[in-house]
Amino acid sequence: MSMRYTGPNADYPVYCCRSDRDQQGSALCQEVRALAVDALVEQVVLDALMPDQIEIALAAAGQLEQESRQLERQWALRVERARYEAERARRQYDAVEPENRLVARSLERAWEEKLRVVEAVEQEHEHWRVQEPLLIGPAERAGLQALGENLPRIWNAATTSAADRKRILRFVIREVVLDQKRTRGQVWLKIVWQTGATSEHHVQRRVHTYRNYIDIDRLRRRIVELNAEHKMDGEIAAILNQEGFVAARGCAFKGENVWMLRTRWGIPTVKINGVDKNPMRWPAVASRFSAQRLSLA
């Protein structure tokens, strides 16, 4: 994806995939608002590099290092055995009488076969070593611990520029994959870390209509429940905001939003007196006015 800027002042960043349009002349593949994605990636990185998380990662790395040493010993034994078998075949070939040509050719083929086995085992060993994670020495361990303690302060410092933050991100992240078509109302992210590990995350999209809302069924069910508890639209909106719901355009719920959704979904206002028309005067109000008249008399 490439970056482009939208909005009245062209200062709103958007990640844009234009390969379909550039290659086939069709519509844009997809666009993803950048600010929410950037904020999530930033938080994931800061959380991952907290001191306690680094300690957990270092402990896991220590365990992997022990396992790697055990596997290295096993590989060393395999290589040693293959070389021994090849050396044994060479000695057998050297010991044969020159005039015994049939035996000599047979032993020579056996020796060459053992040499090919040695070469194959050594190549497999080298391939395994390339794929193994790097071992963390005392200096690297101390550096990572210091990074976890200082990174939040450095990241939020006024002197740290956006370019500096990008360099920090590139130090730990290889790439971020985005897809907002995978799940309704969400942007799916896969972070590929420099270690080769991956993690998946989701960001709620700002949508223009509730047709694309991330969790429309749960929202409708909650409005029905609160409406059944005789909550007014404004009260329902406040409770939805407290419970983490966000309106379609990414703003907080208001009474008008709840009224619009109730109207669209045919959810009637639940009245205190059931489905009857409201009386001219509520009993509690009438009794309060009667008590006031008696006190005045």
Side-chain angles (χ1 to χ4, degrees):
M1 288 186 169
S2 59
M3 176 72 74
R4 77 182 188 93
Y5 292 86
T6 62
N9 300 318
D11 57 356
Y12 201 92
V14 175
Y15 293 119
C16 176
C17 178
R18 22 175 125 237
S19 59
D20 287 354
R21 189 180 68 179
D22 294 344
Q23 297 175 11
Q24 305 174 11
S26 56
L28 287 174
C29 174
Q30 54 181 303
E31 292 183 326
V32 178
R33 295 175 182 268
L35 295 181
V37 171
D38 292 349
L40 175 65
V41 172
E42 172 186 332
Q43 191 59 51
V44 169
V45 170
L46 292 177
D47 290 345
L49 296 180
M50 291 290 286
D52 57 340
Q53 296 299 317
I54 289 180
E55 287 296 333
I56 293 173
L58 289 175
Q63 184 176 357
L64 290 174
E65 187 174 343
Q66 292 180 357
E67 295 175 356
S68 179
R69 287 199 181 99
Q70 293 176 356
L71 291 173
E72 179 64 39
R73 285 193 291 269
Q74 295 176 12
W75 275 109
L77 290 174
R78 285 187 60 188
V79 173
E80 182 181 354
R81 181 167 184 81
R83 289 174 178 172
Y84 170 78
E85 294 291 341
E87 178 62 19
R88 182 183 178 186
R90 184 193 66 79
R91 290 197 304 267
Q92 290 175 343
Y93 172 74
D94 290 343
V96 72
E97 296 294 337
E99 60 272 11
N100 198 343
R101 296 178 180 177
L102 288 176
V103 176
R105 281 197 294 268
S106 176
L107 291 175
E108 185 179 18
R109 285 194 297 269
W111 180 24
E112 291 176 351
E113 183 178 339
K114 296 298 182 182
L115 289 174
R116 284 194 291 270
V117 171
V118 171
E119 183 180 3
V121 171
E122 288 178 343
Q123 289 179 353
E124 291 176 9
H125 181 208
E126 186 61 29
H127 181 69
W128 172 82
R129 293 183 65 181
V130 170
Q131 291 185 331
E132 273 297 280
L134 296 176
L135 300 182
I136 300 177
E140 290 83 0
R141 186 180 296 269
L144 286 172
Q145 290 171 335
L147 175 63
E149 295 173 357
N150 298 326
L151 181 60
R153 177 176 56 81
I154 296 173
W155 186 274
N156 296 311
T159 54
T160 303
S161 65
D164 294 330
R165 295 187 180 95
K166 287 181 180 179
R167 280 193 288 270
I168 294 174
L169 290 176
R170 292 193 184 101
F171 178 71
V172 294
I173 290 179
R174 185 180 305 167
E175 66 174 345
V176 179
V177 183
L178 306 178
D179 186 359
Q180 69 173 4
K181 296 182 177 181
R182 179 171 301 208
T183 306
R184 183 182 66 183
Q186 285 186 337
V187 178
W188 172 84
L189 294 86
K190 181 173 74 172
I191 298 178
V192 182
W193 302 85
Q194 291 291 358
T195 60
T198 62
S199 59
E200 296 187 9
H201 312 271
H202 295 86
V203 175
Q204 181 172 345
R205 288 175 53 200
R206 289 185 59 185
V207 295
H208 293 286
T209 66
Y210 284 92
R211 183 171 56 255
N212 298 321
Y213 192 78
I214 179 175
D215 202 358
I216 195 67
D217 295 331
R218 190 167 69 92
L219 174 63
R220 179 174 181 172
R221 185 166 58 251
R222 192 66 182 120
I223 291 178
V224 170
E225 293 171 354
L226 294 172
N227 185 67
E229 295 174 7
H230 308 293
K231 304 290 186 185
M232 304 295 288
D233 290 343
E235 294 178 294
I236 295 175
I239 294 173
L240 293 176
N241 293 330
Q242 292 174 0
E243 294 178 350
F245 287 94
V246 180
R249 295 180 179 269
C251 56
F253 271 100
K254 297 181 180 179
E256 306 91 85
N257 304 119
V258 177
W259 176 86
M260 182 268 295
L261 290 173
R262 283 198 307 100
T263 303
R264 177 180 300 176
W265 292 332
I267 304 174
T269 302
V270 177
K271 301 177 181 179
I272 298 175
N273 60 329
V275 297
D276 297 335
K277 292 183 178 180
N278 289 337
M280 293 299 296
R281 178 180 297 176
W282 295 101
V285 177
S287 61
R288 187 169 67 250
F289 282 138
S290 299
Q292 289 176 350
R293 289 195 186 98
L294 290 174
S295 63
L296 291 174

